[in-house]
Structure formats: structure tokens, C-alpha cells
Amino acid sequence: MDSIDTRTLQQLDAAHHLHPFNDNAALARRGTRILVRGEGCYVWDAEGNKLLDAFAGLWCVNIGYGRRELGEAARRQMDRLAYYNTFFHCTTEPTVHLATKLAELCPGDLDHAFFTNSGSEANDTILRLVRHFWAVQDKPEKSIFIGRHNGYHGSTVAGASLGGMKGMHKQGGLPIPGIVHIDPPYWFGDGGDLSEEEYGRVCAKRLEDKILELGPDRVAAFIGEPIMGAIGVYIPPRNYWQEVERICRRYDVLLVADEVICGFGRTGRWFASEYYGFQPDVMTLAKGITSGYIPLGAVMFNDRVAEVLATKGGELAHGYTYSGHPVCAAVALENIRILEQERIVDRAGEEIAPYLAERWRALGEHPLVGEARIAGMVGALELVPAKPKREFFPDRGRVGQLCRDIALRNGLILRATNDTMLLSPPLVLEREQVDELAEKAWKSLDMTARELGMAVG
Ligand SMILES: *Cc1c(COP(=O)(O)O)cnc(C)c1O
């Protein structure tokens, strides 16, 4: 594709395509980046640039790009039976197999799947079905969801309301009633002088205080991302989730883990609830479930919730045309088969993550980096104006974007949220690619610092 073609495509894109999470006027001026090909941990753009994708698309391409087996699985299922619904007492073979496989993989008694097309829809499903779960047990007033400020649970009305992004709430009159938020654990911004363990307890206590303020009889569930992704990879203290679990049990509040990013190996374990050692009652899945090759989401319910929904719930007045789509299920099964057979999750956790952590933490020595944090295959760098203080740049977001653009010119894709650089590479990252990533990241930090007029070595 030559550059004239690219420009034409960019003009057509600006004329006819409204992009999500973009300033579309700015985008039109600048021109969209058009990606054309992917292989392993690399993607190529229309200008022929080869980029190391240290963000796995959007936290999702866990098995890496270019695995033909997934396309072949889709093709086989399309040829055999391209579509059938799961309403009206029907299902298809791959859908049954996928539900069974997810029950086997997910921790504890999370053995019952409800299928959706996305993480957002899965969280909408949770809001409705969890409220229904309490209502059919004569507790209709036990309906409030507690989420967290700056959490991300998707972009639909319920998803964005469960999330705690102020900018999202401002558009469209959110949050909807019956959803409240508490502060999340964010040690870099909020931890003060507390030890990790003390801070973990303080943050969990925010949940207990909120439950008591509202009254336990009115609280249906607590929802959280085990590691908060979109806001900037907030990695909680080790004890936080076990404390949260203890509090939820104490007040009979359902614990919902949104594992859309963390699930399918991101932490080096299959699920972050295993990484942190807690047992959710309900789990949200999407992204890595198909490594992004095709859209699919799922809610996993435990025995208690599923049994009430099945025996007392009556007809569930909820579902999507494509719930349990056979082609998506076939692709998910093939993705999971590859993750298992090639030991991709174990290998990432045991062999690559420790080395990645070593190289990533070393970036913390750069004058521009106030903190380098990482858990398994997901991490962040906090860019700061001066060390060693934990401090933010005054015009938040400018330096992060600058660093992201410079990294891109250096052939490295990192995401920026505010002035936090985010890392979430494909799980198939090799040792040499860790080196490449670390070298390109350091070089990009140097160039960013120089552009800001900071003294660097
Ligand atoms: C991406 C994401 C979602 C939303 O998933 P979509 O497939 O984009 O609807 C929900 N929760 C978390 C934690 C996410 O990162």
C-alpha cells in the first residue's frame, strides 16, 4: 500500500468513521494510523513500520498475532453451522463445549456461563441478574452495587455506571441509580507513608464502611477489577482482595471480579483471583477469552447464584441474539487449546514474567520515572517531574502522550493514561523481545526527558 493510498484511507476514515475514545476533530487533523498485519508480538502499519506491540492490541491478544488455527476453527464452524441461537431450548456443540471448558478452568465453583459479545454486555448482564437473584429471594431492596472511582467496567450504560470514570459519567447522564463508588487502592497517588499491608487494610475498610453506611440489606454486590487496567494498572496490595473477600462474606454481599483484562493469563496465572488467592462469586470474562480474534464475553456464576437463577428465577428475560455464538465459541475453544497445549500461561508466569519484571523495574531508575510496577505480564511506569517525590505533572496527560508518540517512532507500542505508561504485551513475548522492549522504552524515556528540558545522562 503506497502513501497516497494511506492518505486517501485516512481522509475517508475522517469523513465516515466516528472513533471510540478519541477526540475525533484532532484525529481527523492528524490522520488515523492504519494497521495492516500482525505476527507474534509485532504489527505493521500501512507505512511499513514494524512495531513491537507491548499492549497486545487492547490488553487482549494474549496468544499473539497471526495464529492461523483460530481462523481455521472459525471457518470449520461457519461451514458446518454458521449460526444458531441459544434461546428457545436450543444450543450448538461448540457452545456446550466452551461452557464446560470455562467451568473447568475457572476457580472454585464458578461453573455456570452466560455468554455475551463483550465485557460491557457481561457487566450489564451481571447488574440485571444479580439484582434478580436477590429479588427472587424476597430481597428486592438488596440492589445496590458498589464499584470504585476510576474503575473500568465497559462503555454501555450499566458498564460505564459500574465503572467510576468521571469523564464517562459526564456524557449521557450517568451513573444510573443504585450504583455507588469507593476509592480504589492506588499507593503511588494515595498511599502516603503506610506500609503495603496497612494500606491494603485501609482500602478494604472503605468497602466495609460503605456497606455499613448503606446497610448490608441494601447492598447486592461489590465489583472490581483485580488489577485496575484502563486507569493506569493500579496493582493493589497483596492482602487487599482477601480482606475484601472477608468483608463481602461477612455482610453477604456478592463479590464480582471483573477479569476481562486479568483473565486468561495476564498475571501469569489463569485468573487474577488465583494470583491474589480469593474466590469470586461472579466473574466477568472477555478480551483474552478469544485473544481478541473474535468478539466474545461471558459471565461465570457460582453454584449458589446459578441455582437460584435456574430454580427460582423463572424465565430469564435477558439475552443477546449472539449469546453463545457457535463461531465465537469455536474460536475461544481453539484459543484455550493453544494456551494450554503450548503452556503459554505457565511459561509466561514462570519464565518470562520474572525477567520482564527485572527489566521493567530497572526503568524505575530513569530520572523521569517515579514508580515502575508490574504483576506478571501487566505493568506501568509513573512519569514524574522530579524524584524521589511521588508527584504529578501539572498539565496531566501531556507528557504521557509525548512519551507514547516518541515510543511509537521508536517502534514500540505503549499506551498512556494521563502520565502513566501502560504495559500489557502478548503472553508469547520472548526473552529477546523483553530486551528490545526495555531498550526501546529507556530510549523513549530519554528522548521524552530531553524534549522536556530535563537533564539526562
Ligand atoms: C475492556 C474492559 C471491559 C469492557 O469490555 P468490552 O469488550 O470493551 O465491552 C470491561 N471491564 C474491563 C476490566 C475491561 O478492561
Side-chain angles (χ1 to χ4, degrees), residues 118-120 123 152-154 225 258 260-261 287:
S118 68
S120 302
N123 285 325
Y152 188 78
H153 299 297
E225 304 152 79
D258 182 340
V260 168
I261 287 175
K287 294 193 171 111

Side-chain angles (χ1 to χ4, degrees), residues 360-369 372 387 442:
W360 189 253
R361 290 214 177 92
L363 297 172
E365 272 144 48
H366 194 279
L368 191 56
V369 178
K387 295 185 18 159
W442 185 276

Side-chain angles (χ1 to χ4, degrees), residues 58-59 117-121 123 152-156 225 227 229-230 258-262 284 286-287 296:
L58 194 51
W59 322 92
N117 305 290
S118 68
S120 302
E121 287 178 359
N123 285 325
Y152 188 78
H153 299 297
S155 222
T156 49
E225 304 152 79
I227 292 171
D258 182 340
E259 294 240 17
V260 168
I261 287 175
C262 292
T284 321
K287 294 193 171 111
L296 179 71

